[in-house]
Amino acid sequence: MEFRLTAPLIALVGPTAVGKTALAVALAHRLDGEIISADSRQVYRRMEIGTAKPSAAERAAAPHHLIDLCEPDEAFSLARYQDLALASIAEVVARGRVPLLVGGTGQYLAAVLEGWQIPRVAPQPALRAELQAEAERDGGARLYERLAEVDPMAALQIGPTNVRRIIRALEVYLVTGEPISTQQTRQPLPYQIRTIWLTRPREELYARADARVEAMIAAGLVEEVKTLVAAGYGWHLPAMSSLGYIQFKPYLEGETALQSCIERLKYDTHSFIRRQGAWFRRLPQLEQWAPGHPEWVG
């Protein structure tokens, strides 16, 4: 693998359980690089197993950034992630090392690699609560209609089922008076980007994901979820409603058997894997690596 020496930025992306972490550590050694996480759940402290954070040995083997940034009940925005990621990339480059942006959260990856100019509108709790109440009362479709009236481009991009993003787009419009779509411009990054999309055959990927779920259960995932709930972190939080955690709510509330929740987690992980590709294929300077690629080691 050859990289030009003037400010490269390597993005290593791919679906859950494809093998990003092992390859990232291997490339960090080979390229004198540092790993910058692009995972929306690994930013939360106390959530180790369900988020598949790199192990202590992996973190010792290569520098990792943007892991364990906030508590599970702390708001963490896309804009905050982008600011931290760009600062980390610049710091790694200033040290004369290669930044490796590694993860599977497509929106995080796109925001950084495509140079999104994100509206800096702070969360408005009262407004969000009002919009959420409206969605619960009248249905998400009505809220989506409101967005389509004031920002048809954002409505088209978000779709009618993502209530959280619909609320955010309406929040930005109601605070600024400007559609969020007109505020989301692009600014090219001053780096030589190379995006490597790791892929595997679908059935192999599902099998790997299922095996990882079983390993998480053996490692104590259920106890981790119990501990978070006992500490007062509610299911309404983005951290607790994420993949690997919300699936255990029925079990902890005595509504179903543990095995049913485990099977639900496997099923939801497969669904998540299918959706991830929609983000990856839009990323710049993209190439795909499949098993057997001569550079895929680790």
Side-chain angles (χ1 to χ4, degrees):
M1 183 187 301
E2 295 183 0
F3 296 103
R4 287 175 288 180
L5 298 180
T6 53
L9 169 58
I10 313 304
L12 191 63
V13 310
T16 296
V18 75
K20 297 183 293 294
T21 300
L23 179 56
V25 171
L27 288 180
H29 277 279
R30 181 171 181 179
L31 301 174
D32 191 26
E34 300 185 24
I35 296 168
I36 298 162
S37 172
D39 189 298
S40 63
R41 300 181 310 143
Q42 291 182 0
V43 300
Y44 297 111
R45 304 184 193 103
R46 308 172 189 263
M47 304 177 74
E48 306 297 319
I49 301 170
T51 63
K53 286 179 185 172
S55 66
E58 288 166 334
R59 290 193 231 185
H64 283 70
H65 305 277
L66 305 193
I67 294 175
D68 293 336
L69 300 177
C70 60
E71 295 299 323
D73 59 352
E74 183 179 342
F76 190 88
S77 68
L78 177 64
R80 181 180 173 189
Y81 172 77
Q82 186 194 48
D83 288 343
L84 292 172
L86 291 175
S88 294
I89 290 168
E91 290 165 4
V92 172
V93 169
R95 287 192 285 271
R97 309 191 77 188
V98 176
L100 300 169
L101 186 67
V102 180
T105 300
Q107 192 179 37
Y108 279 18
L109 291 160
V112 173
L113 297 174
E114 294 180 351
W116 292 7
Q117 301 301 293
I118 302 170
R120 265 33 183 193
V121 176
Q124 310 290 313
L127 177 57
R128 286 189 178 185
E130 178 183 332
L131 293 170
Q132 183 65 46
E134 180 179 334
E136 293 172 357
R137 183 184 65 248
D138 302 329
R142 177 63 193 119
L143 212 59
Y144 182 71
E145 290 173 4
R146 281 189 61 186
L147 178 61
E149 291 170 2
V150 299
D151 193 348
M153 181 60 69
L156 182 64
Q157 293 173 339
I158 294 171
T161 61
N162 195 328
V163 175
R164 185 178 298 166
R165 289 188 64 198
I166 292 170
I167 288 175
R168 174 57 178 170
L170 283 171
E171 177 184 48
V172 170
Y173 174 77
L174 293 170
V175 170
T176 67
E178 297 288 338
I180 192 173
S181 60
T182 64
Q183 301 182 52
Q184 292 175 321
T185 58
R186 303 285 189 268
Q187 179 66 45
L189 296 184
Y191 304 111
Q192 297 169 8
I193 297 172
R194 182 176 183 182
T195 306
I196 300 167
W197 178 1
L198 302 182
T199 65
R200 291 183 187 270
R202 183 63 58 81
E203 291 308 314
E204 178 185 350
L205 198 54
Y206 288 169
R208 288 173 61 91
D210 290 350
R212 187 164 81 165
V213 168
E214 293 293 345
M216 288 176 171
I217 297 299
L221 175 57
V222 178
E223 289 303 317
E224 178 173 274
V225 181
K226 286 181 180 178
T227 299
L228 289 163
V229 172
Y233 297 113
W235 299 109
H236 66 284
L237 296 170
M240 293 297 291
S241 64
S242 67
L243 186 68
Y245 294 87
I246 192 63
Q247 286 77 16
F248 295 99
K249 180 176 183 286
Y251 168 68
L252 295 181
E253 295 184 348
E255 297 175 358
T256 191
L258 175 58
Q259 190 58 41
S260 295
C261 296
I262 294 172
E263 294 306 315
R264 170 52 63 177
L265 176 54
K266 292 178 180 179
Y267 178 86
D268 289 349
T269 302
H270 295 182
S271 297
F272 181 60
I273 286 169
R274 290 193 294 272
R275 296 194 303 272
Q276 285 177 289
W279 281 104
F280 301 148
R281 64 175 55 96
R282 64 179 282 171
L283 299 176
Q285 305 303 318
L286 187 66
E287 59 189 87
Q288 287 193 4
W289 289 11
H293 189 286
E295 307 285 359
W296 190 344
V297 296

